[in-house]
mmCIF file of all heavy atoms in Angstrom:
data_model
loop_
_atom_site.group_PDB
_atom_site.id
_atom_site.type_symbol
_atom_site.label_atom_id
_atom_site.label_comp_id
_atom_site.label_asym_id
_atom_site.label_seq_id
_atom_site.Cartn_x
_atom_site.Cartn_y
_atom_site.Cartn_z
ATOM 1 N N GLU A 1 110.488 72.891 88.910
ATOM 2 C CA GLU A 1 109.498 71.896 89.557
ATOM 3 C C GLU A 1 108.206 72.608 89.925
ATOM 4 O O GLU A 1 107.107 72.078 89.722
ATOM 5 C CB GLU A 1 110.042 71.228 90.839
ATOM 6 C CG GLU A 1 111.200 70.301 90.546
ATOM 7 C CD GLU A 1 111.849 69.680 91.857
ATOM 8 O OE1 GLU A 1 111.458 70.085 92.947
ATOM 9 O OE2 GLU A 1 112.602 68.729 91.666
ATOM 10 N N GLU A 2 108.216 73.849 90.391
ATOM 11 C CA GLU A 2 107.008 74.497 90.877
ATOM 12 C C GLU A 2 106.181 75.292 89.841
ATOM 13 O O GLU A 2 105.042 75.489 90.040
ATOM 14 C CB GLU A 2 107.273 75.360 92.043
ATOM 15 C CG GLU A 2 107.903 74.566 93.264
ATOM 16 C CD GLU A 2 107.734 75.180 94.539
ATOM 17 O OE1 GLU A 2 106.796 76.086 94.718
ATOM 18 O OE2 GLU A 2 108.668 75.069 95.442
ATOM 19 N N THR A 3 106.941 75.659 88.839
ATOM 20 C CA THR A 3 106.274 76.356 87.733
ATOM 21 C C THR A 3 105.833 75.512 86.557
ATOM 22 O O THR A 3 104.965 75.808 85.717
ATOM 23 C CB THR A 3 107.003 77.552 87.172
ATOM 24 O OG1 THR A 3 108.256 77.038 86.634
ATOM 25 C CG2 THR A 3 107.444 78.453 88.371
ATOM 26 N N GLY A 4 106.503 74.435 86.458
ATOM 27 C CA GLY A 4 106.344 73.445 85.226
ATOM 28 C C GLY A 4 106.910 73.901 83.948
ATOM 29 O O GLY A 4 106.687 73.373 82.908
ATOM 30 N N LEU A 5 107.775 75.043 84.077
ATOM 31 C CA LEU A 5 108.361 75.598 82.914
ATOM 32 C C LEU A 5 109.667 74.794 82.467
ATOM 33 O O LEU A 5 110.213 74.173 83.340
ATOM 34 C CB LEU A 5 108.813 77.033 83.128
ATOM 35 C CG LEU A 5 107.647 78.030 83.388
ATOM 36 C CD1 LEU A 5 108.259 79.435 83.783
ATOM 37 C CD2 LEU A 5 106.741 78.163 82.135
ATOM 38 N N ALA A 6 109.984 74.887 81.271
ATOM 39 C CA ALA A 6 111.247 74.139 80.774
ATOM 40 C C ALA A 6 112.388 74.937 81.485
ATOM 41 O O ALA A 6 112.421 76.086 81.642
ATOM 42 C CB ALA A 6 111.256 74.317 79.212
ATOM 43 N N LYS A 7 113.469 74.141 81.651
ATOM 44 C CA LYS A 7 114.683 74.618 82.266
ATOM 45 C C LYS A 7 115.259 75.797 81.508
ATOM 46 O O LYS A 7 115.691 76.790 82.115
ATOM 47 C CB LYS A 7 115.654 73.499 82.477
ATOM 48 C CG LYS A 7 116.894 74.013 83.257
ATOM 49 C CD LYS A 7 117.830 72.785 83.552
ATOM 50 C CE LYS A 7 119.126 73.189 84.359
ATOM 51 N NZ LYS A 7 119.956 72.100 84.629
ATOM 52 N N THR A 8 115.293 75.661 80.201
ATOM 53 C CA THR A 8 115.924 76.704 79.391
ATOM 54 C C THR A 8 115.089 77.992 79.546
ATOM 55 O O THR A 8 115.661 79.098 79.587
ATOM 56 C CB THR A 8 115.915 76.318 77.905
ATOM 57 O OG1 THR A 8 114.555 75.895 77.528
ATOM 58 C CG2 THR A 8 116.874 75.177 77.604
ATOM 59 N N THR A 9 113.820 77.913 79.611
ATOM 60 C CA THR A 9 112.873 79.089 79.868
ATOM 61 C C THR A 9 113.217 79.657 81.216
ATOM 62 O O THR A 9 113.264 80.921 81.330
ATOM 63 C CB THR A 9 111.369 78.740 79.736
ATOM 64 O OG1 THR A 9 111.218 78.235 78.439
ATOM 65 C CG2 THR A 9 110.551 79.923 79.961
ATOM 66 N N VAL A 10 113.178 78.942 82.187
ATOM 67 C CA VAL A 10 113.518 79.305 83.597
ATOM 68 C C VAL A 10 114.854 80.078 83.645
ATOM 69 O O VAL A 10 114.963 81.175 84.276
ATOM 70 C CB VAL A 10 113.547 78.225 84.554
ATOM 71 C CG1 VAL A 10 114.073 78.606 85.927
ATOM 72 C CG2 VAL A 10 112.113 77.669 84.672
ATOM 73 N N ILE A 11 115.893 79.544 83.070
ATOM 74 C CA ILE A 11 117.151 80.071 83.051
ATOM 75 C C ILE A 11 117.170 81.505 82.343
ATOM 76 O O ILE A 11 117.710 82.468 82.937
ATOM 77 C CB ILE A 11 118.238 79.220 82.360
ATOM 78 C CG1 ILE A 11 118.488 77.961 83.284
ATOM 79 C CG2 ILE A 11 119.589 79.971 82.150
ATOM 80 C CD1 ILE A 11 119.356 76.928 82.654
ATOM 81 N N ARG A 12 116.435 81.544 81.208
ATOM 82 C CA ARG A 12 116.349 82.888 80.542
ATOM 83 C C ARG A 12 115.635 84.016 81.310
ATOM 84 O O ARG A 12 116.083 85.048 81.432
ATOM 85 C CB ARG A 12 115.664 82.614 79.191
ATOM 86 C CG ARG A 12 115.354 83.885 78.391
ATOM 87 C CD ARG A 12 114.748 83.609 77.111
ATOM 88 N NE ARG A 12 113.540 82.813 77.145
ATOM 89 C CZ ARG A 12 112.349 83.187 77.489
ATOM 90 N NH1 ARG A 12 112.154 84.560 77.733
ATOM 91 N NH2 ARG A 12 111.353 82.364 77.518
ATOM 92 N N LEU A 13 114.552 83.547 82.068
ATOM 93 C CA LEU A 13 113.828 84.385 82.814
ATOM 94 C C LEU A 13 114.543 84.970 84.022
ATOM 95 O O LEU A 13 114.572 86.063 84.433
ATOM 96 C CB LEU A 13 112.467 83.848 83.185
ATOM 97 C CG LEU A 13 111.475 83.695 82.112
ATOM 98 C CD1 LEU A 13 110.294 82.868 82.573
ATOM 99 C CD2 LEU A 13 110.825 85.014 81.679
ATOM 100 N N VAL A 14 115.279 83.898 84.642
ATOM 101 C CA VAL A 14 116.035 84.379 85.891
ATOM 102 C C VAL A 14 117.123 85.220 85.532
ATOM 103 O O VAL A 14 117.438 86.214 86.297
ATOM 104 C CB VAL A 14 116.549 83.026 86.556
ATOM 105 C CG1 VAL A 14 117.679 83.289 87.561
ATOM 106 C CG2 VAL A 14 115.454 82.294 87.181
ATOM 107 N N GLN A 15 117.822 85.044 84.459
ATOM 108 C CA GLN A 15 118.954 85.858 83.981
ATOM 109 C C GLN A 15 118.351 87.437 83.777
ATOM 110 O O GLN A 15 119.017 88.236 84.096
ATOM 111 C CB GLN A 15 119.563 85.365 82.704
ATOM 112 C CG GLN A 15 120.379 84.077 82.944
ATOM 113 C CD GLN A 15 120.948 83.492 81.642
ATOM 114 O OE1 GLN A 15 120.528 83.821 80.559
ATOM 115 N NE2 GLN A 15 121.996 82.710 81.793
ATOM 116 N N THR A 16 117.235 87.381 83.149
ATOM 117 C CA THR A 16 116.650 88.755 82.918
ATOM 118 C C THR A 16 116.373 89.388 84.136
ATOM 119 O O THR A 16 116.610 90.545 84.403
ATOM 120 C CB THR A 16 115.396 88.578 82.009
ATOM 121 O OG1 THR A 16 115.627 88.038 80.726
ATOM 122 C CG2 THR A 16 114.769 90.005 81.811
ATOM 123 N N LEU A 17 115.648 88.719 85.088
ATOM 124 C CA LEU A 17 115.308 89.216 86.464
ATOM 125 C C LEU A 17 116.561 89.734 87.254
ATOM 126 O O LEU A 17 116.508 90.653 87.909
ATOM 127 C CB LEU A 17 114.505 88.208 87.181
ATOM 128 C CG LEU A 17 113.061 87.910 86.667
ATOM 129 C CD1 LEU A 17 112.476 86.720 87.439
ATOM 130 C CD2 LEU A 17 112.215 89.209 86.893
ATOM 131 N N GLU A 18 117.631 88.919 86.989
ATOM 132 C CA GLU A 18 118.891 89.256 87.700
ATOM 133 C C GLU A 18 119.492 90.563 87.144
ATOM 134 O O GLU A 18 120.082 91.330 87.901
ATOM 135 C CB GLU A 18 119.846 88.112 87.674
ATOM 136 C CG GLU A 18 121.047 88.248 88.574
ATOM 137 C CD GLU A 18 121.994 86.994 88.609
ATOM 138 O OE1 GLU A 18 121.810 86.111 87.769
ATOM 139 O OE2 GLU A 18 122.751 86.934 89.536
ATOM 140 N N GLN A 19 119.479 90.609 85.867
ATOM 141 C CA GLN A 19 120.077 91.800 85.143
ATOM 142 C C GLN A 19 119.307 93.115 85.530
ATOM 143 O O GLN A 19 120.042 94.142 85.672
ATOM 144 C CB GLN A 19 119.900 91.594 83.604
ATOM 145 C CG GLN A 19 120.860 90.582 83.024
ATOM 146 C CD GLN A 19 120.546 90.241 81.587
ATOM 147 O OE1 GLN A 19 119.723 90.895 80.983
ATOM 148 N NE2 GLN A 19 121.321 89.264 81.052
ATOM 149 N N ILE A 20 118.108 93.030 85.911
ATOM 150 C CA ILE A 20 117.354 94.292 86.203
ATOM 151 C C ILE A 20 117.193 94.376 87.737
ATOM 152 O O ILE A 20 116.546 95.348 88.210
ATOM 153 C CB ILE A 20 115.930 94.332 85.526
ATOM 154 C CG1 ILE A 20 115.067 93.184 86.020
ATOM 155 C CG2 ILE A 20 116.070 94.473 84.051
ATOM 156 C CD1 ILE A 20 113.717 93.246 85.390
ATOM 157 N N GLY A 21 117.909 93.562 88.446
ATOM 158 C CA GLY A 21 118.031 93.752 89.910
ATOM 159 C C GLY A 21 116.875 93.152 90.752
ATOM 160 O O GLY A 21 116.832 93.390 91.887
ATOM 161 N N LEU A 22 115.958 92.402 90.041
ATOM 162 C CA LEU A 22 114.903 91.794 90.841
ATOM 163 C C LEU A 22 115.130 90.609 91.527
ATOM 164 O O LEU A 22 114.494 90.178 92.400
ATOM 165 C CB LEU A 22 113.631 91.818 89.946
ATOM 166 C CG LEU A 22 113.133 93.000 89.229
ATOM 167 C CD1 LEU A 22 111.842 92.750 88.551
ATOM 168 C CD2 LEU A 22 112.893 94.140 90.385
ATOM 169 N N LEU A 23 116.258 89.867 91.060
ATOM 170 C CA LEU A 23 116.680 88.591 91.669
ATOM 171 C C LEU A 23 118.250 88.832 91.932
ATOM 172 O O LEU A 23 118.865 89.589 91.199
ATOM 173 C CB LEU A 23 116.507 87.400 90.843
ATOM 174 C CG LEU A 23 115.108 86.788 90.768
ATOM 175 C CD1 LEU A 23 115.068 85.539 89.927
ATOM 176 C CD2 LEU A 23 114.626 86.418 92.200
ATOM 177 N N TRP A 24 118.803 88.148 92.870
ATOM 178 C CA TRP A 24 120.229 88.199 93.072
ATOM 179 C C TRP A 24 120.745 86.790 93.273
ATOM 180 O O TRP A 24 120.243 86.053 94.205
ATOM 181 C CB TRP A 24 120.318 89.064 94.527
ATOM 182 C CG TRP A 24 121.869 89.343 94.790
ATOM 183 C CD1 TRP A 24 122.691 88.640 95.570
ATOM 184 C CD2 TRP A 24 122.547 90.419 94.331
ATOM 185 N NE1 TRP A 24 123.887 89.142 95.694
ATOM 186 C CE2 TRP A 24 123.888 90.309 94.894
ATOM 187 C CE3 TRP A 24 122.255 91.521 93.592
ATOM 188 C CZ2 TRP A 24 124.837 91.299 94.720
ATOM 189 C CZ3 TRP A 24 123.274 92.521 93.333
ATOM 190 C CH2 TRP A 24 124.637 92.370 93.920
ATOM 191 N N GLY A 25 121.700 86.377 92.485
ATOM 192 C CA GLY A 25 122.231 85.044 92.539
ATOM 193 C C GLY A 25 123.269 84.951 93.644
ATOM 194 O O GLY A 25 124.078 85.797 93.947
ATOM 195 N N THR A 26 123.201 83.825 94.384
ATOM 196 C CA THR A 26 124.064 83.430 95.416
ATOM 197 C C THR A 26 124.556 81.993 95.136
ATOM 198 O O THR A 26 124.010 81.251 94.257
ATOM 199 C CB THR A 26 123.478 83.563 96.837
ATOM 200 O OG1 THR A 26 122.534 82.379 96.992
ATOM 201 C CG2 THR A 26 122.855 84.831 97.009
ATOM 202 N N ALA A 27 125.505 81.454 95.953
ATOM 203 C CA ALA A 27 125.985 80.149 95.729
ATOM 204 C C ALA A 27 124.836 79.106 96.164
ATOM 205 O O ALA A 27 124.911 77.916 95.597
ATOM 206 C CB ALA A 27 127.198 79.850 96.719
ATOM 207 N N SER A 28 123.824 79.506 96.895
ATOM 208 C CA SER A 28 122.791 78.492 97.331
ATOM 209 C C SER A 28 121.514 78.688 96.576
ATOM 210 O O SER A 28 120.580 77.898 96.690
ATOM 211 C CB SER A 28 122.540 78.802 98.837
ATOM 212 O OG SER A 28 123.629 78.687 99.579
ATOM 213 N N GLY A 29 121.459 79.724 95.628
ATOM 214 C CA GLY A 29 120.331 79.972 94.953
ATOM 215 C C GLY A 29 120.013 81.361 94.706
ATOM 216 O O GLY A 29 120.922 82.309 94.766
ATOM 217 N N TYR A 30 118.762 81.802 94.312
ATOM 218 C CA TYR A 30 118.415 83.133 94.055
ATOM 219 C C TYR A 30 117.594 83.725 95.106
ATOM 220 O O TYR A 30 116.586 83.148 95.568
ATOM 221 C CB TYR A 30 117.721 83.239 92.644
ATOM 222 C CG TYR A 30 118.621 82.899 91.491
ATOM 223 C CD1 TYR A 30 118.799 81.596 91.177
ATOM 224 C CD2 TYR A 30 119.391 83.855 90.900
ATOM 225 C CE1 TYR A 30 119.683 81.272 90.114
ATOM 226 C CE2 TYR A 30 120.189 83.611 89.718
ATOM 227 C CZ TYR A 30 120.355 82.268 89.461
ATOM 228 O OH TYR A 30 121.185 81.941 88.387
#
């Protein structure tokens, strides 16, 4: 909603950020 990016693009970027430790996934979000 806030970036205007496609959901598939967001999921790909979030997964990459999580893999390199810049994001951390929880049950409530990142």
Side-chain angles (χ1 to χ4, degrees):
E1 290 179 352
E2 298 200 31
T3 64
L5 296 173
K7 185 176 181 178
T8 53
T9 300
V10 168
I11 291 174
R12 174 174 55 81
L13 289 169
V14 166
Q15 288 175 341
T16 300
L17 290 169
E18 189 174 19
Q19 288 170 6
I20 59 179
L22 301 184
L23 283 180
W24 187 270
T26 72
S28 304
Y30 291 87

